[in-house]
Every structure is written in C-alpha cells, then in structure tokens.
Amino acid sequence: MLLIPGASMRYLAGYDALLLERLTCLVVLGDDVAPVLVVPALERPAAVASGVVDLGVDIMDWQETDDPYALIAQLLPASGVIAIDNHMWAETLMRLTAAMPEVNHTLAGSIIDELRVRKSVGELDALRDAGAAIDRVHARMSTWLTVGRTEREVGRDIAAAIIEEGHVSVDFVIVASGPNGASPHHEVSDRIIEAGDVVVVDIGGTTPLGYCSDSTRTYAMGSVDPDFARSYTALVASQEAAFQAAIIGATAESIDEAARSVLTAAGLGEVFIHRTGHGIGMSTHEEPYIVSGNRTPIQPGMAFSIEPGFYVEGQWGARLEDIVIMTQQGCERVNHRPRELVIL
Ligand code: ZN
Ligand code: ZN
C-alpha cells in the first residue's frame, strides 16, 4: 500500500507530512516486512522528529537528482496489486505506473477506511475535545456577529478565535447572511449584515492531535420572519429525530430518512438539498456518509455529523449541525451549544 501525506498517513504512522511536489510516500509492504517511509532528503529531519522510527518504520531518503519512483519500484515486487492512496495526485500515480508497468492498482481506502471509521477510545476523546473547542468559538459569536459588519470581517474574527480556542488550523469558515444562506457552502463575502437577517455560521478546524471539528449554528439578527421561525422549529425537530434514530445497528440511510421525513412533513423536503451528514475524524469528511443508499450499520466507535438544513433561493437558509459519536452506551453529541434559533 502506498500512502501520500494526508490523514491516512498521519493515522497509520503519526507523521503529519507536507504534501509537496517532492514525493513523500509511506510504503506498507505486508505483515513481516518493516514499512518504508520514502522522503526527500530535506524532509528527513521532520520525518525523524515525527517518531516514525519508534514505530518500526525505516526511513529512506532521496536526493534532488534521484528518481523516487525508481526507488519505490525497487521496494516492491514487479507484479501484483498495489493499494494506492485515494487522494494521490494523478501525476504521482502516472509516474509510479511508468516505473512499475506490470503492477495493478486498487484503492487504499478499501483497506484503511475500515480502520479509520471505527475510532478508539482515545480518538473519541480527541473528537470530544475538538467539539468543545468549536463550541467555545460559537459561544463568543455575539462579540463579532453584529449588524453593519461584513461577512468577511466577521469571518476573520471567527478564524482567529478558532485558533485561540485550541485548534492548530482553520479548515473552513462559512458566514452566510440573508439570501447567501441559501447556498450551503457559501464562505464569506463583502455583504453587510442587516437587521432581520438570518446568518448561517458553519465553522471547523483541526486540533493539535489531528482531529477535526465542524459545527453549524444559525443566528438571527433581531426578530425574524414568522415563516422562517416555523421552518426553523421543524429543523430542530428534524435534527433531534436523526439523533434519536442513531442507535447501534441502525443503517446510515435510516438516520438520513429520520431527519428528512420531519422536514418533508413540514413542507421543506424539496429545500433540504444535501445528505444529513458525514463521518469525521482526521478528515472533516470521511466514512460513514449519512445518506440514502448507505446501508452501513452504525457501530460503536463511529463519529459523524447530523446537519439537516433548508435553503430557499433568494430568501434565506438554515442548518443545524452537531457531531455525534457512537459508544457502547449509545449516541452522544460532542457539540452542546443551544439548538434553538440564537437571537443576537
Ligand atoms: Zn459543517
Ligand atoms: Zn459537516
């Protein structure tokens, strides 16, 4: 199996490597052979500092004029099947293929996702910490989110707070005010926030241990349209229904259906335009996806978002998102900010 810098390499080897044009590649050779971390010579100190050698990984470095693809080819049998990191650049894969023309490929995700989807007790604790960190950012929202400021200004303050509250990186900041709320992945713009606006704030970062946070709250700048208020009440019920449906053995799609049926009954099925959630861990989006057609049974150790929303073009949008983790004791939220509409 060949892994490039990213969540799977960090998960297996603890090395948070930079993804660069110079090839870094973890070569996992099989049960009885030590894995090899192929690194550019200038990355060797960083690789050593990550502690991979203590895990029994051999480090092999290559100089600027060496061919790292030939080096990897020498480590592997000339034929057979290699599992390739799902996120490997096409350029890297094409060069590997040229160096090893007789080898077939499969996706490493088919092996490693099964490991990553079932979190250990320590990983679940790391996700609880990430949830608490992003909750502390939402708790401070009234200081920044005020009428007369632009989404971009508010977003800048939120990004700083994501770091202040215990993340090492800001992964995304969505401040979607008024009609911008109808675009689920709107980031920020120069729109000035007005009285009466509804503002969707979806934010997340990565903690020092490498685990991601992701939480959405919808804020109202003063009183809101009664139509919106009615829809929002249904949204809270939808999110709660999905949470109640998240029991050990339930399928991922049944949790989606639980959220969707409440919004459909409220006449909002057509404007709930995305899946109910996604797994989360060392990546913000990973297995299990909470979506129709996914019959994966939910098991202890799984972590995922429950984030129904509704989006009305030209008017407004709303989303309510918590990360939940499944333990032997049942489903537990890691985000605890109020779920009712927050009036600022
Ligand atoms: Zn989110
Ligand atoms: Zn999410």
Side-chain angles (χ1 to χ4, degrees):
M1 178 164 69
L2 302 181
L3 297 178
I4 54 153
S8 289
M9 180 185 286
R10 188 171 188 184
Y11 175 84
L12 276 192
Y15 182 28
D16 184 19
L18 293 170
L19 180 59
L20 301 166
E21 79 292 356
R22 290 187 182 98
L23 183 66
T24 290
C25 186
L26 181 66
V27 184
V28 183
L29 291 160
D31 289 341
D32 304 320
V33 196
V36 179
L37 183 63
V38 174
V39 295
L42 77 169
E43 302 292 342
R44 179 183 266 273
V48 170
S50 76
V52 287
V53 178
D54 298 337
L55 293 174
V57 176
D58 293 337
I59 298 179
M60 194 175 279
D61 61 33
W62 58 276
Q63 303 294 328
E64 294 283 39
T65 55
D66 291 343
D67 177 359
Y69 301 94
L71 196 67
I72 290 171
Q74 284 164 22
L75 293 169
L76 294 165
S79 63
V81 181
I82 304 179
I84 299 287
D85 196 313
N86 291 39
H87 303 291
M88 184 177 280
W89 289 346
E91 179 185 45
T92 309
L93 180 58
M94 289 177 81
R95 289 188 181 172
L96 279 168
T97 305
M100 293 178 283
E102 304 301 318
V103 162
N104 292 315
H105 304 125
T106 186
L107 288 174
S110 63
I111 301 162
I112 202 164
D113 288 354
E114 275 185 48
L115 302 174
R116 286 177 54 190
V117 78
R118 300 273 294 266
K119 272 79 176 170
S120 68
V121 169
E123 291 187 280
L124 294 180
D125 271 342
L127 284 167
R128 287 188 185 97
D129 288 346
I134 209 68
D135 277 3
R136 290 193 293 273
V137 179
H138 273 295
R140 294 168 60 193
M141 202 56 64
S142 63
T143 4
W144 317 302
L145 184 52
T146 53
V147 168
R149 302 191 78 203
T150 67
E151 293 172 353
R152 198 178 305 282
E153 288 166 339
V154 174
R156 214 174 284 141
D157 290 338
I158 292 172
I162 288 174
I163 300 297
E164 284 164 25
E165 297 296 350
H167 300 84
V168 291
S169 66
V170 178
D171 296 337
F172 54 92
V173 174
I174 296 173
V175 181
S177 66
N180 290 341
S183 168
H185 280 173
H186 174 83
E187 291 189 331
V188 293
S189 76
D190 292 318
R191 184 179 184 278
I192 294 167
I193 294 159
E194 297 168 9
D197 275 355
V198 168
V199 187
V200 180
V201 179
D202 186 354
I203 51 179
T206 302
T207 64
L209 291 176
Y211 287 82
C212 299
S213 65
D214 182 6
S215 176
T216 310
R217 289 295 182 268
T218 297
Y219 298 89
M221 310 313 291
S223 60
V224 295
D225 188 289
D227 249 7
F228 177 87
R230 259 192 305 280
S231 297
Y232 191 84
T233 302
L235 181 64
V236 175
S238 162
Q239 209 252 9
E240 178 64 22
F243 177 69
Q244 295 299 335
I247 56 174
I248 295 170
T251 60
E253 70 173 0
S254 71
I255 299 169
D256 178 79
E257 180 52 30
R260 204 163 297 279
S261 61
V262 173
L263 287 179
T264 301
L268 296 165
E270 296 281 299
V271 288
F272 176 18
I273 55 176
H274 54 71
R275 65 191 176 208
T276 294
H278 54 83
I280 188 167
M282 289 191 140
S283 307
T284 306
H285 288 187
E286 58 182 50
E287 300 286 346
Y289 292 98
I290 308 302
V291 63
S292 176
N294 184 0
R295 298 199 174 86
T296 304
I298 298 302
Q299 297 296 329
M302 288 184 174
F304 51 92
S305 71
I306 297 181
E307 51 176 307
F310 58 86
Y311 308 91
V312 182
E313 189 79 45
Q315 281 191 287
W316 52 55
R319 182 162 63 257
L320 176 57
E321 175 179 28
D322 290 324
I323 302 303
V324 302
I325 58 183
M326 187 59 82
T327 72
Q328 294 291 354
Q329 283 71 48
C331 194
E332 172 190 329
R333 285 181 163 105
V334 306
N335 299 111
H336 302 285
R337 294 297 302 160
R339 285 176 198 92
E340 63 270 21
L341 192 63
V342 181
I343 315 267
L344 296 180

